Amino acid sequence: TTAYPLHTYTDEQPWGLVTLGNDEPDKAQALFENLLTASPVPYDAIAFDGLTEHSFNEAKRQENLFERRYKTKEAAEGATLKRWGETLASNINTAQTLVMLSNRGVSIWMTAAAERGTDPNLPEGLEARPLCSGGIRHLIGRYFDLTIFVETKVKNGKPTHVYHMVKNGAWKVKNRYEEEWLEDPKTFATELVNPTTEKLLELIHEAAVRRARKFGLEV
């Protein structure tokens, strides 16, 4: 999100890049919640980059809240489980708020770092998954239509980014349109190499159209 000369979000021009400090993850949730009351929501898409950093910063924020409440760090140690629970609840609340916005026609994009051990030759039974606090990493796939694992391969010093669209290796992948993807591999490749956002959206739209036709719905 900082690699391009994007417009910086302001109160007068509320769109573009919002940059938050490490000590203010709660401001992201406040922005999302304010949009729930907008009619209509003034954005086509929202990109949240990323959940891993947000989760870490929210955990630190909860620690600081308890330290101030109990006056000493030692006293706050006894509230570890409560802090952890509130951190996880905050992450889930953020994800659910974004899903509510998606139900109002906004495309939601969220990034997360990968846990250690993303090598495709992981031992049987292990898989790479989003690096997030606690159970939120298991829930992301339930909330969103797509969970894509991006694998970067480097050959002769040149990186290639492979988007895994279906489960074909030791990584966490979820695709709401997996049936369409598997029915027509010529149109829907299981691996997309260096795809543009436009290409990815084009495929998702085509899959959604085919799914709607199966149920006799108008597109």
Side-chain angles (χ1 to χ4, degrees), residues 25-35:
D26 52 320
K27 290 188 177 181
Q29 179 64 18
L31 283 170
F32 299 148
E33 289 183 354
N34 287 339
L35 290 175

Side-chain angles (χ1 to χ4, degrees), residues 45-65:
I46 296 173
F48 186 30
D49 183 19
L51 187 59
T52 299
E53 292 81 1
H54 174 77
S55 178
F56 176 79
N57 291 333
E58 179 61 18
K60 295 299 295 182
R61 189 179 79 88
Q62 294 292 344
E63 287 178 10
N64 291 334
L65 285 175

Side-chain angles (χ1 to χ4, degrees), residues 72-188:
T72 65
K73 186 173 182 179
E74 289 74 21
E77 291 300 322
T80 299
L81 291 179
K82 186 173 182 180
R83 290 204 308 272
W84 178 255
E86 291 194 6
T87 298
L88 179 58
S90 175
N91 286 338
I92 293 175
N93 190 35
T94 296
Q96 290 177 326
T97 302
L98 289 171
V99 169
M100 292 172 69
L101 289 171
S102 75
N103 291 337
R104 299 186 60 190
V106 183
S107 293
I108 302 297
W109 300 73
M110 183 182 291
T111 67
E115 286 190 347
R116 290 178 297 173
T118 56
D119 179 44
N121 297 315
L122 282 172
E124 184 178 356
L126 298 180
E127 63 183 2
R129 63 182 73 232
L131 177 58
C132 310
S133 293
I136 186 65
R137 64 175 181 259
H138 301 291
L139 297 175
I140 290 176
R142 300 182 191 178
Y143 290 141
F144 295 94
D145 292 334
L146 290 167
T147 302
I148 302 171
F149 181 76
V150 182
E151 179 186 18
T152 300
K153 301 178 180 180
V154 180
K155 184 176 181 179
N156 297 326
K158 183 178 180 180
T160 299
H161 306 291
V162 181
Y163 285 41
H164 295 273
M165 304 302 298
V166 297
K167 179 80 173 176
N168 62 349
W171 32 69
K172 194 78 171 179
V173 176
K174 179 250 180 121
N175 189 341
R176 178 182 179 183
Y177 305 105
E178 183 178 66
E179 183 178 325
E180 285 72 26
W181 238 264
L182 297 176
E183 284 178 345
D184 185 0
K186 289 185 178 180
T187 301
F188 305 106

